[in-house]
């Protein structure tokens, strides 16, 4: 089916609603992304748009009570506000001083404001800043004004245009289908009225945007129905500038929904929109609702616009938006550049501000790289081994989707299950004592819901990153084991294990055997072990193996300045590969990002895929949740009540080569939420305690991996 749909698109045919539904329900994530990316490049070239704008939400007082809305208040209610026109002009002035070319204004339906109030608002803003484009009022607000003034929608629009209004934003669309609309916003204009209002605007020669609020109670069928109505109107009028999928923000709503949309679902929605809405040139990856992480990745999945600097957006913030209220020009440009694209500042109507940027909008048939890079990528695909300099070249030059295609072609992954190892990290420091660790572990066990069931055994990770002096760790592991005899114990820190041997005046092998005897199960490399000499590190790992400890080496991504350090990655992965090829007993590598590094999600997934391609088949790659990068500042009203923003990436990991979440730190994550994320990635979640793997012989593991291969990376949400 994927091939049929690709063929249709390649031949310039339209895909239909059944196709779009299939893409939502079944398309492999990477293949879907590749197709959407190709279509976007052919329309928009390498350019990705952003603008310098400001949102001003004139009032949160609203006569309606949509069930999903955390923003609206009633008159007199605590937190309600209504700006005077002067205040709005002052706010606009701040933005104009920073180079804003657009003001975006939408708000509640204030029961005491009449139509003239809105006309005066626009006229005053236009008078103060005649060069700034005023994009204001949703179809819902326009209907409100028309009813209050007893005018037609066309009359209202014309008067607003005469006062200085430039175009209409896309809000208020939600989900058109009455099955959903009646449940979430039954007093709002109907889907038909919304479409009619925009038809009227287009017929008057005005342009508008359109949105779809997804990730609440709607099904994929409702999303396709919504997009169908937009595509039909666009066929008729060509008046829409852009389609903007709005990811539902779940804090404070009357729908009983308390989780954010899955990252894989966000990407899928952008990609299906790009493929189905073939008469739209622009698809917006709205960072305010998606978070910076998914917004950046969406640029590989068909989106060509990030929206703008925004400044003071209140609607998503009230509903738990974690992305913060502002991005600077340089933030936006950096997200775009590090996606391999060219940032182009645009006007509201999607013209480049600078004429010389037009060249970047020229259609591109495909992102290319040199033949030698392709040959090397093919060599990797078929299990060949490359020199670090060759790997470095592939990593820094091959586009994201060339790597994703190579991973698919290699048949390397395709997992039926993604393992989750529930763990709790105890950060040891110089003051840690056996008593303090024992106390912490007992407390942990009493509080931990995962000890309720026999099948779920907690893993305790003793993390040594904060230890700056040598300490004999044997009494500490013994205390941990005594407090939790059923738990598996991981020591994170190879250099700490070595220092511990020195402190107790023992040979490393002898000391590791003692640690094993005191209850330790696994020795895991920590990011701080990167500073150890390679030979020293491997020697300790070798000794750990002789002491019957399982060892988990790490691959830690680093950045230098504001760029990903691919050369370090290439060196590290080469060392790991040669080490692991000799060593058939190591079953996993922990893949993480250095705490101080800024790694973009697209770089992280590309590195993950390349690492999967570079390491021997029998080695699993674990992506510990606390080592996944997070760009979103995770600020805002719902931030501490809800999942952290990096959780968004979890549902994308298995498609790019991760076999499991390694040792999940449970401090700010709920295992139930993670299980949902794994399901959303299309593979089955599998809770393990790590021991499962220890009992497996290398042969049995190889057979298991063989069985798991060739299962497509499907999605199963909706
Ligand atoms: O219509 C309300 C949505 C919209 C929530 O046209 C929510 O360029 C998510 O339309 N979670 C207003 N969304 C915002 C809007 C918009 C934003 C940016 C650019 C443009 C454009 C338009 O916000 C509302 C509603 O669909 N919304 N509550 C929520 N909890
Ligand atoms: Fe009012 Fe808009 Fe909120 Fe609905 S979504 S309650 S119309 S502010």
């Amino acid at each position: 089916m994927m091939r049929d749909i690709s063929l249709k698109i390649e031949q310039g045919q339209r895909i239909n609603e059944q196709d779009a539904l299939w893409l939502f329900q079944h398309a492999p994530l990477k293949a879907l992304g590749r197709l959407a990316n190709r279509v976007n490049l052919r329309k928009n070239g390498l350019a990705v748009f952003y603008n310098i704008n400001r949102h001003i939400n004139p009032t949160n007082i609203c006569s309606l009570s949509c069930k999903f809305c955390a923003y609206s208040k009633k008159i007199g209610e605590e937190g309600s506000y209504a700006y005077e026109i002067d205040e709005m002009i002052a706010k606009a002035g701040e933005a104009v001083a920073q180079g804003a070319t657009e003001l975006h204004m939408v708000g509640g339906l204030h029961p005491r404001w009449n139509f003239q109030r809105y006309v005066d608002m626009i006229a005053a803003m236009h008078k103060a800043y005649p060069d700034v484009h005023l994009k204001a009022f949703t179809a819902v607000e326009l209907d409100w004004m028309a009813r209050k003034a007893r005018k037609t929608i066309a009359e209202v629009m014309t008067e607003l245009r005469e006062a200085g209004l430039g175009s209409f934003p896309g809000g208020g669309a939600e989900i058109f289908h009455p099955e959903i609309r009646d449940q979430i916003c039954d007093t709002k204009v109907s889907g038909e009225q919304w479409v009619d209002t925009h038809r009227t605007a287009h017929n008057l020669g005005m342009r508008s945007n359109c949105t779809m609020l997804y990730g609440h109670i709607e099904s994929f069928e409702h999303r396709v129905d919504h997009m169908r109505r937009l595509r039909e109107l666009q066929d008729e009028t060509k008046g829409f500038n852009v389609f903007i999928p709005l990811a539902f923000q779940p804090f404070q709503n009357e729908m009983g929904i308390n989780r954010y949309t899955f990252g894989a679902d966000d990407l899928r929605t952008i990609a299906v929109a790009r493929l189905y809405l073939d008469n739209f040139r622009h698809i917006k990856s709205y960072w305010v609702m998606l978070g910076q992480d998914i917004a950046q990745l969406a640029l590989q999945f068909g989106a060509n616009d990030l929206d703008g600097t925004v400044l003071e957006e209140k609607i998503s913030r009230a509903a738990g938006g974690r992305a913060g209220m502002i991005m600077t020009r340089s933030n936006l440009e950096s997200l775009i550049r590090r996606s391999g694209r060219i940032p182009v500042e645009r006007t509201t109507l999607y013209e480049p501000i600078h004429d010389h940027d037009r060249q970047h909008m020229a259609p591109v048939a495909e992102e290319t790289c040199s033949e030698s890079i392709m040959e090397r990528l093919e060599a990797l695909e078929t299990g060949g081994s490359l020199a670090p300099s060759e790997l470095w070249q592939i990593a820094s030059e091959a586009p994201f989707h060339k790597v994703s295609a190579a991973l698919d072609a290699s048949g390397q992954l395709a997992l039926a299950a993604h393992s989750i190892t529930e763990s709790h990290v105890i950060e040891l420091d110089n003051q840690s004592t056996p008593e303090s660790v024992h106390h912490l572990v007992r407390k942990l066990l009493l509080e931990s819901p995962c000890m309720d069931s026999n099948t779920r055994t907690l893993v305790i990770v003793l993390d040594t990153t904060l230890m700056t002096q040598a300490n004999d760790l044997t009494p500490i592991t013994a205390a941990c084991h005594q407090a939790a005899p059923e738990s598996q114990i991981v020591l994170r820190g190879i250099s700490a294990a070595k220092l511990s041997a020195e402190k107790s005046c023992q040979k490393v092998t002898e000391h590791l055997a003692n640690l094993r005897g005191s209850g330790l199960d696994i020795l895991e490399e920590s990011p701080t072990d990167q500073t150890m000499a390679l030979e020293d590190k491997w020697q300790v790992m070798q000794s750990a193996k002789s002491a019957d400890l399982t060892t988990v080496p790490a691959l830690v991504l680093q950045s230098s300045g504001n760029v990903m350090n691919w050369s370090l990655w290439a060196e590290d992965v080469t060392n790991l590969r040669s080490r692991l090829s000799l060593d058939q007993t190591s079953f996993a590598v922990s893949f993480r990002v250095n705490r101080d590094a800024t790694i973009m999600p697209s770089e992280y997934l590309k590195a993950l895929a390349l690492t999967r391609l570079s390491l021997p088949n029998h080695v699993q790659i674990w992506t510990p949740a606390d080592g996944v990068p997070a760009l979103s500042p995770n600020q805002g009203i719902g931030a501490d009540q809800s999942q952290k923003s990096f959780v968004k990436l979890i549902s994308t990991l298995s498609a790019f080569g991760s076999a499991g979440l390694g040792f999940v730190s449970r401090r700010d994550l709920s295992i139930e939420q993670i299980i949902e994320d794994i399901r959303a990635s299309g593979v089955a979640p599998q809770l393990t305690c790590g021991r499962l793997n220890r009992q497996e012989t290398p042969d049995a593991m190889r057979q298991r991996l063989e069985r798991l291969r060739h299962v497509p990376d499907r999605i199963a949400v909706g």
Side-chain angles (χ1 to χ4, degrees):
M1 186 79 173
M2 190 70 208
R3 199 171 303 154
D4 294 344
I5 294 177
S6 305
L7 205 66
K8 262 191 186 177
I9 289 171
E10 292 298 336
Q11 291 172 346
Q13 289 174 37
R14 283 201 135 168
I15 61 167
N16 60 29
E17 290 72 48
Q18 284 75 36
D19 297 330
L21 191 60
W22 187 89
L23 291 174
F24 265 126
Q25 287 171 332
H26 304 293
L29 185 64
K30 298 196 295 304
L32 174 65
R34 280 198 293 278
L35 191 56
N37 185 50
R38 206 172 319 135
V39 168
N40 174 45
L41 289 171
R42 286 180 193 165
K43 276 193 169 153
N44 295 304
L46 292 171
V48 169
F49 284 127
Y50 70 92
N51 72 347
I52 306 294
N53 66 350
R54 172 166 193 155
H55 283 216
I56 303 180
N57 303 120
T59 178
N60 62 353
I61 294 173
C62 187
S63 302
L64 305 190
S65 304
C66 302
K67 295 239 174 18
F68 54 82
C69 181
Y71 165 74
S72 73
K73 303 270 180 212
K74 298 297 171 203
I75 289 181
E77 194 180 334
E78 198 189 333
S80 62
Y81 72 87
Y83 292 143
E84 293 301 328
I85 292 177
D86 285 351
E87 281 178 274
M88 292 181 64
I89 288 181
K91 283 181 185 291
E94 290 167 18
V96 174
Q98 290 169 31
T101 59
E102 168 189 292
L103 294 167
H104 167 111
M105 292 180 285
V106 294
L109 311 181
H110 197 303
R112 296 196 189 139
W113 285 3
N114 57 21
F115 176 47
Q116 196 54 46
R117 175 77 168 66
Y118 292 97
V119 176
D120 292 347
M121 185 194 293
I122 293 296
M125 298 284 259
H126 183 59
K127 187 166 172 228
Y129 308 108
D131 297 331
V132 174
H133 185 108
L134 303 178
K135 177 180 65 157
F137 310 134
T138 64
V140 184
E141 289 167 286
L142 293 164
D143 167 71
W144 175 251
M145 294 174 207
R147 282 191 288 129
K148 283 204 136 193
R150 294 175 195 274
K151 289 176 189 269
T152 63
I153 293 277
E155 285 165 349
V156 162
M157 287 177 171
T158 308
E159 269 187 62
L160 288 169
R161 176 164 61 181
E162 280 162 8
L165 185 134
S167 64
F168 298 107
E174 325 314 357
I175 287 284
F176 293 143
H177 200 292
E179 258 168 34
I180 300 300
R181 208 169 181 84
D182 289 351
Q183 291 183 64
I184 66 173
C185 53
D186 56 347
T187 49
K188 217 169 210 172
V189 293
S190 68
E192 288 75 21
Q193 280 172 300
W194 189 99
V195 170
D196 270 348
T197 302
H198 283 255
R199 179 183 287 109
T200 305
H202 301 169
N203 288 341
L204 287 171
M206 298 181 78
R207 298 185 70 87
S208 69
N209 297 347
C210 55
T211 60
M212 172 177 78
L213 179 68
Y214 71 95
H216 42 92
I217 59 168
E218 88 292 357
S219 69
F220 290 142
E221 279 87 351
H222 296 122
R223 292 190 201 176
V224 172
D225 173 77
H226 188 94
M227 290 200 257
R228 175 185 58 77
R229 299 182 200 218
L230 294 174
R231 184 165 94 165
E232 283 171 5
L233 183 61
Q234 183 74 333
D235 274 342
E236 195 185 314
T237 63
K238 300 190 175 47
F240 286 127
N241 295 312
V242 59
F243 174 65
I244 313 158
L246 297 173
F248 181 62
Q249 309 296 305
F251 188 57
Q252 288 178 338
N253 62 76
E254 287 178 35
M255 292 149 77
I257 298 178
N258 59 9
R259 69 152 301 144
Y260 290 86
T261 50
F262 303 107
D265 191 25
D266 296 325
L267 297 174
R268 199 168 275 277
T269 307
I270 294 269
V272 177
R274 171 55 79 197
L275 298 176
Y276 177 77
L277 296 177
D278 58 345
N279 50 3
F280 280 68
R281 177 146 186 205
H282 308 294
I283 305 288
K284 188 182 288 187
S285 159
Y286 185 43
W287 64 266
V288 174
M289 305 279 188
L290 292 175
Q292 284 83 342
D293 306 87
I294 296 296
Q296 195 261 349
L297 260 182
L299 303 181
Q300 305 292 344
F301 282 74
N304 72 315
D305 179 28
L306 271 186
D307 201 85
T309 41
V310 173
L311 197 69
E312 209 187 67
E313 192 275 348
K314 291 187 184 229
I315 297 172
S316 88
R317 276 289 271 214
R322 302 165 296 193
M325 294 222 270
I326 183 170
M327 287 241 275
T328 62
R329 181 196 293 273
S330 80
N331 293 151
L332 289 161
E333 290 199 347
S334 160
L335 291 194
I336 297 169
R337 283 225 168 80
R338 289 180 71 177
S339 303
R341 300 296 156 90
I342 302 164
V344 172
E345 189 188 343
R346 64 161 171 86
T347 65
T348 306
L349 301 180
Y350 288 81
E351 289 300 324
I353 295 266
H354 308 290
D355 225 29
H356 60 82
D357 277 333
R358 264 181 215 287
Q359 55 178 318
H360 308 308
M361 294 158 60
V364 167
E366 219 183 333
E367 274 167 303
T368 49
C369 51
S370 68
E371 236 169 73
S372 69
I373 297 286
M374 283 312 289
E375 278 165 16
R376 284 169 194 167
L377 205 49
E378 274 161 30
L380 260 194
E381 227 173 83
T382 48
S385 74
L386 299 176
S389 61
E390 294 174 312
L391 274 178
W392 170 71
Q393 258 185 322
I394 296 182
S396 43
E397 287 178 37
F400 182 89
H401 281 300
K402 291 279 183 222
V403 174
S404 104
L407 186 59
D408 277 348
S410 75
Q412 259 263 18
L413 71 144
L415 297 161
H418 202 246
S419 73
I420 311 163
T421 311
E422 296 183 81
S423 71
H424 193 100
V425 179
I426 294 182
E427 286 184 335
L428 299 181
D429 58 25
N430 300 339
Q431 270 71 51
S432 298
T433 61
E435 291 72 29
S436 68
V437 169
H438 189 277
H439 177 73
L440 265 175
V441 174
R442 286 310 303 167
K443 189 161 169 282
L444 182 74
L445 292 189
L446 285 176
E447 285 170 3
S448 173
C450 50
M451 297 307 288
D452 292 350
S453 138
N454 293 333
T455 55
R456 292 166 70 173
T457 312
L458 193 68
V459 171
I460 297 171
V461 181
L462 299 172
D463 188 308
T464 60
T465 312
L466 298 179
M467 288 185 105
T468 51
Q469 67 182 35
N471 238 324
D472 179 5
L473 295 169
T474 328
I476 289 185
T477 43
C480 184
H481 180 60
Q482 202 197 21
E486 292 301 312
S487 289
Q488 191 172 37
I489 303 174
V490 180
L491 181 67
R492 185 178 285 160
I494 297 175
S495 56
K498 187 166 182 263
L499 287 172
S500 172
E502 281 166 18
K503 178 80 180 176
S504 39
C505 305
Q506 287 172 338
K507 287 206 170 107
V508 174
T509 318
E510 186 191 345
H511 186 66
L512 289 168
N514 280 348
L515 285 172
R516 176 83 187 103
S518 72
L520 186 68
D521 295 284
I522 294 183
L523 180 63
E524 189 197 0
E525 185 175 350
S526 105
T528 43
D529 294 329
Q530 298 282 305
T531 51
M532 269 181 104
L534 211 56
E535 267 322 300
D536 273 6
K537 192 156 70 184
W538 293 128
Q539 250 173 26
V540 179
M541 300 272 252
Q542 205 47 50
S543 308
K545 280 199 183 114
S546 343
D548 189 33
L549 284 164
T550 298
T551 55
V552 179
L555 189 73
V556 185
L557 303 183
Q558 317 267 0
S559 61
S560 316
N562 202 20
V563 289
M564 164 94 185
N565 191 330
W566 285 114
S567 99
L568 215 57
W569 167 83
E571 250 176 64
D572 287 353
V573 89
T574 309
N575 287 329
L576 255 179
R577 187 184 48 209
S578 47
R579 196 71 214 174
L580 293 169
S581 305
L582 296 175
D583 166 10
Q584 297 287 313
T585 60
S586 266
F587 68 90
V589 164
S590 157
F591 182 89
R592 51 172 68 241
V593 165
N594 194 17
R595 275 184 199 195
D596 306 326
T598 30
I599 307 287
M600 294 282 156
S602 63
E603 293 164 340
Y604 175 81
L605 290 185
K606 182 169 145 183
L608 177 60
L610 281 167
T611 306
R612 180 60 284 169
L613 281 165
S614 309
L615 294 184
N617 281 357
H618 71 274
V619 178
Q620 298 183 10
I621 301 177
W622 289 349
T623 44
D626 59 351
V628 175
L631 295 179
S632 158
N634 217 56
Q635 298 166 345
I637 189 165
D640 42 353
Q641 273 100 337
S642 52
Q643 308 99 298
K644 299 287 181 205
S645 49
F646 65 81
V647 175
K648 278 266 188 179
L649 280 182
I650 288 180
S651 57
T652 66
L653 300 178
S654 65
F656 287 84
S658 163
L661 283 173
F663 304 122
V664 172
S665 162
R666 290 185 38 89
R667 221 167 332 160
D668 50 16
L669 284 175
S670 119
I671 207 84
E672 284 69 27
Q673 284 169 350
I674 295 186
I675 286 173
E676 285 181 27
D677 274 281
I678 304 290
R679 288 223 170 88
S681 70
V683 293
Q686 183 183 61
L687 278 167
T688 72
C689 66
R691 256 189 205 140
L692 270 180
N693 294 317
R694 287 206 72 210
Q695 285 164 355
E696 254 180 341
T697 62
D699 266 353
M701 194 184 329
R702 240 168 269 138
Q703 278 171 13
R704 181 165 57 88
L705 285 174
E706 203 48 55
R707 280 200 304 278
L708 296 182
R709 228 158 263 149
H710 310 306
V711 180
D713 52 342
R714 284 173 294 107
I715 191 162
V717 283

